[in-house]
Amino acid sequence: MKVLKFGGTSVGSSSNISKVIKIIKQESVSENILVVVSAVGGITDKLLLAADKAIDKDLSYKEDFEALRLKHIEVIDGLLSGEVHEATTDIVLGHLSRLEKLLDGVYLINELSPKTTDKLLSFGELISSLIIYEAIKSKGVNVQLKNSQNLIVTDSNFTNAAVNFEETNANITTYFENNQKMVTVLPGFISKSENDEITTLGRGGSDYTAAILAAALNASILQIWTDVSGMFTTNPKMVKHAKPINKLSYLEAIELSHFGAKVLYPPTVQPVLRKDIPLLIKNTLAPEDPGTLITKIVENGSQFPIKGISNINNVSLLTLQGNGMVGIPGFSKRLFETLAHSKINVIIITQASSEHSICIGISDKDAKTAKTVIDKEFENEISLFKIDPLVIEPNLSIVAVVGDKMKSHQGISGKMFSTLGKNNVNIRAIAQGASERNITAVISESDVKKALNALHEQFFEEQTKQMNLFISGVGNVGKSLLDQIKQQKKYIKSTFNINLKVVALSNSKTMVFDENGLNLTKWESLLEDGQPTEPMAFFEASKILNLRNSVFIDITANEAVSQTYAHYLKHSIAVVACNKIACSSGIENYKELKQLSHKYNVPFLFETNVGAGLPVIDTLKNLIVSGDRITSINAVLSGSLNFIFNNFNKNTSFHDVVKGAQVEGDTEPDPRIDLSGVDVARKLLILARESGEMLEMETIKNKAFLPKECMEANSVQAFYETLKTNEAEFQKLVQSAEANKCQLKYVAELKDGVSSVGLKEIPVGHPFYNLEGKDNIVMFYTNRYSDQPMIIKGAGAGSEVTASGLFADIIRISNTH
């Protein structure tokens, strides 16, 4: 014999009930089946809501009741016709009439006792089982209807009655020995006490009814039909890549259920566990899905030690502590007895080995009561300062990693805690059972989604790491980066197991967010329709999303944006900066950002600050890490200035060359930023700091070649006019270089802590002499490279090469963070 239980969603509409009937006919071909049904979806909660309104003298409870009545009539109309329809409707309306009278009584006496609650709630299953019985019968199936209240006997603990198994099992076996039908339909959840009073079995009661029947009759299998395809590796509503678990042991299922997997309620498993009856969880709406099979021992299942990750929200952590607890027996006993007397359930327990404190996790709703009764119990010890008043931390969640094989695998807890730590998930308490079947952590409720996604990625997603990118700045470089991500996304995922997802974009006016990833084929229109932004608003929105493996990428030249880096780092959001302002700002700010990166173990990369896509800073870091010491740096660090002086000669005007460079996008909108040498000085300052010289911007000598008149022009247009009037001065520079058979290059130099930037005449044979186009070149002289420097040379400007440098930093973070 099989036992099938169908949940509220399964019987929530006539179309779903039709699917249920199809399943029942298929399952009853080989052996007789019992069908246990819940109330029509949501009816129980709606009845309780209507009752609450009646207590509060809110007459809208009548409207709620009328909606329930119409819902049941709608289901009957969709399933039955003719005389059966009329007869069934009459019976259902009779039940509903009695239900309405009960609600009216609650309204009149302004009270709802547990006993009356059970009477109210019993109608849902009685009605749904009748409707399904008549629908199955109308299809010609050999079926009978049996009221579970005549089989399951309980005590009088209304709303959560305890089963008298001896009497119940005797009733069940006697009835089915004498009544052999192909299909028997029974209402779940409801029962009767030894005094013949209506009772209910509490949360998960219909599942419990089915398990009781299966155990009493030694059923071949218990099938739980619900609206999901089994138990999942984690909550699919929070983790997109969660997947059904094919096989679980009873104990694994209990652990997952205890820690919040709502498909199953732990007491459900107990009766079938004792009889080693397999339990199969299936999806009524997708019956072809395999579901989850739960057995005593999982044979030929996955050898992977982790089966699932579960969580419980709305948890408060209670801490009882004090020096007076050390070495004194009885504190724990008194604590738990006090909670038990107040009917407060303890979810998790952890105690320090010093015996100085004990922590327990309970539901948020019980926290206030718990503090009152515990402080009362330990009133004397608190007054003598032997222990402290109870400390409550609300709004927490429990995350549990579960699996039978965990105890034989090393490193599971290490992976769990390091994954949470890397994502800035603070752990408030830890517990692990002696069976080593679960590892539990208490964290902030706001971190649950990030924690579940990060842990699921670590344990279940074939080592594919999802990187969530928050990009500020969509100018030429930003556009190139988005194009490169779009082009290389599939390759990066297939080759490196890295899934790049752009979840946020901003420009100077608007921002747009999508935690599932923005569509990069239409990002411009999405951003145009975005919400207003400013740097801190973009950070706050990023923080609220709280995604794992988050990276903020600054592709602006905005000082306000650079001032948000510390906020990102403190929330374990990696920072990739194309913007040079932060690293060339005051030395204390530079040091703070470096320290935050180290403290929170989160990358802060800025490779493109110097040399665009060239590996200048990374090479410098590797030299330092390997124990080498930089003795001097000589470099041409401005692709814009190199382009200008490579094209400026006696046959061209300085004005035309600079204007052409600006039109091509090779200078800033105001070319004075490039021509002043400030940009080069910033780059040299960054290299100096990365080599160990803690310099300030003011210590770099800037040998300006632009006349004062050019620098002080009140607009860009006026600046260009001053270039024309000073052409003779610029031609003198060219003439002097030609006379000395030299090339003009804007050079940055650092030696013995002394630094400078300025225009220099470079002689033939020098590595800088033939530097073409917009190329950069950097020469590192070190203790090891004392005679011949290490030279890095290549394109040092341009949106595509700069974007490729940013891309490289993103991949570098993906491989290390």
Side-chain angles (χ1 to χ4, degrees), residues 143-159:
V143 61
Q144 62 183 346
L145 175 65
K146 179 61 178 175
N147 189 342
S148 303
Q149 293 172 317
N150 298 328
L151 299 176
I152 299 177
V153 181
T154 70
D155 63 12
S156 296
N157 183 24
F158 299 105
T159 73

Side-chain angles (χ1 to χ4, degrees), residues 424 535-540 542-543 552 560-575 589 592-593 596 600 602:
N424 197 33
M536 279 304 294
F538 191 72
F539 161 71
E540 291 294 342
S542 304
K543 182 180 73 171
F552 171 64
V561 175
S562 73
Q563 291 171 349
T564 64
Y565 294 176
H567 297 286
Y568 286 100
L569 295 172
K570 287 176 183 177
H571 285 81
S572 289
I573 298 175
V575 174
N589 185 56
E592 182 191 13
L593 295 177
L596 289 173
Y600 292 98
V602 57

Side-chain angles (χ1 to χ4, degrees), residues 739-756:
N740 294 320
K741 297 182 180 179
C742 293
Q743 291 277 10
L744 288 172
K745 302 293 178 185
Y746 201 88
V747 178
E749 296 176 301
L750 171 69
K751 187 173 183 179
D752 298 329
V754 178
S755 56
S756 65

Side-chain angles (χ1 to χ4, degrees), residues 46-246:
K46 290 173 183 176
L47 276 173
L48 289 173
L49 178 61
D52 285 341
K53 288 182 177 180
I55 293 172
D56 294 337
K57 298 296 183 180
D58 180 353
L59 285 171
S60 67
Y61 81 88
K62 289 185 173 292
E63 296 174 10
D64 294 342
F65 173 78
E66 181 61 17
L68 296 181
R69 189 185 70 81
L70 292 174
K71 176 66 176 178
H72 285 95
I73 296 303
E74 177 189 329
V75 172
I76 295 170
D77 289 346
L79 290 170
L80 304 173
S81 60
E83 293 181 0
V84 174
H85 174 275
E86 290 182 17
T88 304
T89 301
D90 287 344
I91 297 172
V92 169
L93 289 177
H95 283 311
L96 291 172
S97 177
R98 289 188 289 278
L99 174 59
E100 185 176 20
K101 288 178 181 177
L102 270 177
L103 285 171
D104 291 340
V106 171
Y107 177 83
L108 291 172
I109 66 173
N110 197 33
E111 183 182 343
L112 179 64
S113 67
K115 184 175 180 179
T116 305
T117 298
D118 276 356
K119 288 180 181 179
L120 275 174
L121 298 183
S122 68
F123 284 97
E125 275 73 13
L126 286 172
I127 293 171
S128 63
S129 59
L130 171 66
I131 294 171
I132 289 175
Y133 161 72
E134 293 293 354
I136 295 172
K137 186 178 177 182
S138 69
K139 301 296 181 182
V141 177
N142 184 13
V143 61
Q144 62 183 346
L145 175 65
K146 179 61 178 175
N147 189 342
S148 303
Q149 293 172 317
N150 298 328
L151 299 176
I152 299 177
V153 181
T154 70
D155 63 12
S156 296
N157 183 24
F158 299 105
T159 73
N160 191 23
V163 176
N164 179 333
F165 278 98
E166 183 177 353
E167 195 169 341
T168 296
N169 290 340
N171 289 343
I172 293 170
T173 52
T174 300
Y175 177 78
F176 285 101
E177 281 174 359
N178 300 316
N179 294 273
Q180 295 291 328
K181 294 278 187 178
M182 184 182 294
V183 178
T184 302
V185 177
L186 305 101
F189 182 57
I190 59 176
S191 48
K192 278 192 176 181
S193 73
E194 292 154 345
N195 299 323
D196 204 34
E197 296 170 311
I198 295 172
T199 56
T200 60
L201 300 178
R203 178 186 162 192
S206 290
D207 287 358
Y208 197 24
T209 300
I212 292 167
L213 290 163
L217 297 170
N218 293 310
S220 61
I221 193 168
L222 167 58
Q223 297 180 5
I224 305 290
W225 290 82
T226 179
D227 58 352
V228 291
S229 298
M231 296 184 76
F232 279 66
T233 47
T234 192
N235 186 342
K237 293 180 180 178
M238 289 192 177
V239 180
K240 184 179 178 181
H241 299 292
K243 49 193 175 184
I245 306 169
N246 291 330

Side-chain angles (χ1 to χ4, degrees), residues 403-687:
D404 273 341
K405 296 185 174 69
M406 282 168 50
K407 59 186 175 183
S408 58
H409 283 71
Q410 296 178 342
I412 299 295
S413 58
K415 284 184 179 180
M416 177 181 179
F417 298 133
S418 66
T419 299
L420 294 176
K422 285 178 181 178
N423 285 279
N424 197 33
V425 177
N426 186 40
I427 299 172
R428 289 295 304 113
I430 299 168
Q432 182 172 14
S435 67
E436 298 185 49
R437 192 170 288 110
N438 80 75
I439 304 171
T440 305
V442 180
I443 64 174
S444 170
E445 197 167 304
S446 62
D447 286 329
V448 168
K449 186 173 183 180
K450 178 165 66 172
L452 291 179
N453 276 276
L455 291 172
H456 195 269
E457 182 178 82
Q458 172 69 273
F459 290 119
F460 291 104
E461 294 179 27
E462 299 179 357
Q463 301 306 305
T464 297
K465 179 180 284 188
Q466 180 172 301
M467 303 302 296
N468 295 296
L469 310 181
F470 299 78
I471 299 176
S472 181
V474 288
N476 291 334
V477 176
K479 288 177 181 176
S480 294
L481 178 61
L482 291 171
D483 286 342
Q484 290 176 15
I485 292 172
K486 179 183 172 185
Q487 175 186 318
Q488 293 297 106
K489 183 178 173 69
K490 288 183 179 179
Y491 173 78
I492 295 296
K493 186 172 184 180
S494 62
T495 306
F496 301 107
N497 291 325
I498 297 170
N499 182 25
L500 298 178
K501 185 179 288 187
V502 179
V503 296
L505 288 173
S506 77
N507 55 25
S508 60
K509 296 180 181 179
T510 59
M511 62 182 179
V512 60
F513 287 78
D514 186 343
E515 66 177 291
N516 294 316
L518 294 167
N519 185 342
L520 295 186
T521 61
K522 56 178 183 179
W523 65 264
E524 289 171 294
S525 61
L526 292 172
L527 189 55
E528 187 177 341
D529 296 333
Q531 56 187 305
T533 189
E534 51 88 23
M536 279 304 294
F538 191 72
F539 161 71
E540 291 294 342
S542 304
K543 182 180 73 171
I544 289 170
L545 272 187
N546 203 17
L547 300 177
R548 70 199 188 281
N549 304 325
S550 293
V551 184
F552 171 64
I553 305 157
D554 179 11
I555 321 177
T556 72
N558 188 312
E559 184 175 1
V561 175
S562 73
Q563 291 171 349
T564 64
Y565 294 176
H567 297 286
Y568 286 100
L569 295 172
K570 287 176 183 177
H571 285 81
S572 289
I573 298 175
V575 174
V576 172
C578 186
N579 186 344
K580 292 180 282 292
I581 293 176
C583 290
S584 60
S585 62
I587 190 67
E588 293 306 317
N589 185 56
Y590 168 83
K591 286 181 176 179
E592 182 191 13
L593 295 177
K594 287 289 210 172
Q595 289 165 357
L596 289 173
S597 172
H598 178 74
K599 178 180 179 179
Y600 292 98
N601 191 30
V602 57
F604 172 40
L605 302 182
F606 41 91
E607 183 65 67
T608 55
N609 277 194
V610 181
L614 296 176
V616 177
I617 293 176
D618 191 53
T619 301
L620 175 57
K621 286 181 178 178
N622 289 336
L623 288 171
I624 300 297
V625 168
S626 69
D628 206 351
R629 190 179 73 85
I630 307 298
T631 56
S632 69
I633 299 173
N634 288 63
V636 174
L637 297 174
S638 172
S640 304
L641 287 173
N642 198 45
F643 175 83
I644 288 170
F645 285 108
N646 277 338
N647 287 278
F648 177 46
N649 54 55
K650 62 184 179 181
N651 299 316
T652 60
S653 74
F654 196 64
H655 167 278
D656 292 347
V657 173
V658 173
K659 188 70 174 177
Q662 185 199 29
V663 170
E664 291 295 320
D666 293 326
T667 72
E668 297 292 335
D670 186 344
R672 283 174 291 186
I673 296 174
D674 298 286
L675 297 172
S676 67
V678 171
D679 193 55
V680 175
R682 284 176 176 163
K683 294 176 182 179
L684 180 61
L685 180 63
I686 292 167
L687 291 181

